[in-house]
């Protein structure tokens, strides 16, 4: 089994990953990967949190992480990602990939002989969404009937994965951004099959009753050429105190990081009492461990 899209996991599987995370926190069992497990981290794009937390996750589960980047591997000389994946599966038990081409990741997963994990593409960021929804679950309990608002770039990979995972868990998702800013149809239509997702250009309407307000950078990786246009279109949707006052009193403030204070979010909000961004970041390590254990159990089961 691979984890390419947040849509790959059903509700019970998401709950199973959360339960593994709880067991890791309780620390009463020796949960670990099969002896001598190796995990390739094939990253063609920069990363701080996902790279380091995956490396630590693998090491803490008794395995060995092997970081492979585009510059120092034969990818820099044109070897295809799918050939690289095929080779890495000869040596490693899992491959976690960060690439700006979701289509390449899908191709790779077809040629890899071991589980492939999406560590971010331009379309989705499923392990981030699991860490985010685990954070929500720990703070709010069952997410059924809860309302989560995503503010700003409603076509971002984090918005796509968040809406897929939240709707599977029974939460409503409200996407709030400029009128001409459309969500990615591929994920939006799928999320609407799982639950309730709304789009609004109005901050008052879109954030009304929200239990949590999530935002992300206005300029994602690969969008640098249109940075100025994006900033000026999205600035009215900055997550600041006035915007937050439209949500429920005490609504949680969420951001996957890295943050740009003064752009998509103000310092008073991200560093304020409602912010859970550091919990989200801490939970990445826990959830990545849980995902590796879950996929490992699935591989053993279907062997
Ligand atoms: N949130 C996240 O994916 O951070 P990095 O880009 O630093 O991995």
């Amino acid at each position: 089994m691979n984890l390419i899209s947040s849509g790959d996991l059903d509700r019970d599987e998401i709950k199973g990953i959360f339960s593994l995370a709880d067991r890791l926190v309780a620390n009463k069992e020796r949960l670990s990967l099969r002896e001598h497990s190796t995990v390739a981290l094939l990253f063609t794009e920069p990363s701080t949190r996902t790279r380091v937390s995956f490396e630590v996750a693998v090491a803490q589960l008794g395995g060995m992480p092997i970081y492979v980047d585009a510059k120092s591997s034969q990818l820099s000389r044109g070897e295809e990602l799918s050939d690289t994946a095929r080779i890495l599966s000869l040596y490693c038990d899992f491959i976690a990939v960060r690439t700006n081409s979701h289509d390449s990741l899908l191709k790779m997963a077809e040629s890899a002989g071991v589980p492939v994990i999406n560590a971010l593409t331009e379309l989705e960021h499923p392990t981030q969404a699991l860490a985010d929804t685990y954070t929500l679950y720990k703070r709010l309990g069952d997410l059924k009937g809860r309302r989560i608002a995503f503010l700003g770039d409603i076509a971002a990979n984090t918005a796509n994965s968040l809406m897929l995972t939240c709707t599977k868990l029974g939460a409503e998702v409200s996407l709030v951004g400029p009128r001409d800013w459309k969500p990615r149809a591929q994920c939006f239509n799928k999320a609407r099959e799982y639950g309730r997702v709304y789009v609004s250009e109005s901050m008052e309407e879109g954030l009304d009753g929200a239990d949590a307000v999530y935002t992300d950078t206005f300029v994602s990786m690969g969008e640098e050429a249109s940075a100025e246009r994006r900033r000026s279109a999205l600035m009215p949707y900055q997550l600041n105190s006035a915007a937050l006052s439209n949500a429920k009193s005490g609504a949680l403030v969420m951001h996957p990081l890295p943050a740009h204070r003064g752009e998509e979010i103000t310092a008073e909000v991200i560093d304020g009492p409602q912010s859970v961004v550091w919990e989200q970041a801490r939970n990445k390590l826990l959830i990545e461990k849980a995902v590796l254990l879950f996929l490992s159990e699935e591989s053993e089961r279907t062997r």
Side-chain angles (χ1 to χ4, degrees):
M1 181 179 180
N2 299 315
L3 176 53
I4 304 294
S5 163
S6 295
D8 293 344
L9 298 169
D10 64 25
R11 186 176 190 279
D12 289 344
E13 289 169 331
I14 298 169
K15 288 283 176 108
I17 290 170
F18 287 3
S19 157
L20 278 164
D22 286 342
R23 284 165 62 194
L24 284 159
V25 173
N27 199 23
K28 288 191 182 132
E29 311 154 82
R30 249 191 130 63
L31 293 168
S32 60
L33 291 172
R34 206 160 36 87
E35 209 178 356
H36 306 307
S37 288
T38 48
V39 181
L41 304 174
L42 179 58
F43 279 39
T44 68
E45 303 299 318
S47 169
T48 300
R49 279 146 290 272
T50 312
R51 174 189 170 171
V52 176
S53 54
F54 256 113
E55 290 202 32
V56 174
V58 176
Q60 288 185 354
L61 292 175
M64 184 168 79
I66 300 166
Y67 182 70
V68 183
D69 67 17
K71 257 193 208 151
S72 61
S73 68
Q74 293 288 7
L75 286 170
S76 64
R77 298 180 61 247
E79 183 164 20
E80 287 181 19
L81 263 178
S82 50
D83 284 347
T84 307
R86 200 163 167 175
I87 295 305
L88 290 177
S89 0
L90 301 175
Y91 314 136
C92 301
D93 300 289
F94 299 87
I95 311 174
V97 187
R98 173 166 288 204
T99 166
N100 60 9
S101 167
H102 195 81
D103 286 344
S104 300
L105 179 62
L106 288 169
K107 241 199 231 165
M108 244 183 105
E110 273 172 29
S111 53
V114 297
V116 173
I117 302 167
N118 178 352
L120 181 147
T121 65
E122 84 290 5
L123 187 67
E124 282 206 53
H125 200 352
T127 57
Q128 180 70 49
L130 286 168
D132 298 336
T133 45
Y134 183 72
T135 306
L136 285 166
Y137 165 68
K138 296 316 278 180
R139 284 288 189 141
L140 304 173
D142 191 351
L143 297 188
K144 200 158 190 275
R146 294 289 190 173
R147 189 161 208 210
I148 315 302
F150 191 104
L151 186 62
D153 180 9
I154 59 172
N157 48 16
T158 43
N160 295 334
S161 282
L162 189 74
M163 69 176 138
L164 289 167
T165 306
C166 279
T167 48
K168 288 226 170 171
L169 294 174
E172 293 179 11
V173 178
S174 158
L175 302 169
V176 189
R179 183 193 291 249
D180 58 352
W181 217 268
K182 303 288 176 236
R184 295 288 280 259
Q186 194 176 336
C187 298
F188 181 65
N189 293 337
K190 224 197 277 181
R192 293 222 297 186
E193 286 171 22
Y194 306 149
R196 303 177 78 166
V197 189
Y198 311 88
V199 181
S200 178
E201 63 179 297
S202 153
M203 200 88 94
E204 291 78 18
E205 179 190 77
L207 267 60
D208 185 38
D211 296 284
V213 185
Y214 196 118
T215 193
D216 196 356
T217 179
F218 288 161
V219 187
S220 292
M221 281 183 268
E223 290 166 341
E224 291 76 11
S226 55
E228 278 322 304
R229 181 184 64 78
R230 297 177 65 84
R231 281 194 191 100
S232 78
L234 293 169
M235 210 53 194
Y237 293 89
Q238 182 188 62
L239 181 49
N240 51 38
S241 298
L244 190 57
S245 69
N246 291 294
K248 262 189 193 164
S249 157
L252 304 175
V253 167
M254 305 184 80
H255 192 305
L257 304 174
H260 307 86
R261 289 171 176 78
E263 286 191 22
E264 75 275 7
I265 193 163
T266 55
E268 74 204 348
V269 170
I270 194 167
D271 299 318
Q274 289 167 244
S275 172
V276 292
V277 304
W278 315 110
E279 280 175 46
Q280 288 172 258
R282 189 185 62 208
N283 285 334
K284 279 173 76 83
L285 170 60
L286 194 57
I287 282 295
E288 285 154 7
K289 286 204 266 187
V291 164
L292 287 164
L293 290 168
F294 171 79
L295 293 178
S296 174
E297 281 174 11
E298 283 298 303
S299 301
E300 291 294 326
R301 206 173 53 78
T302 54
R303 194 182 285 263

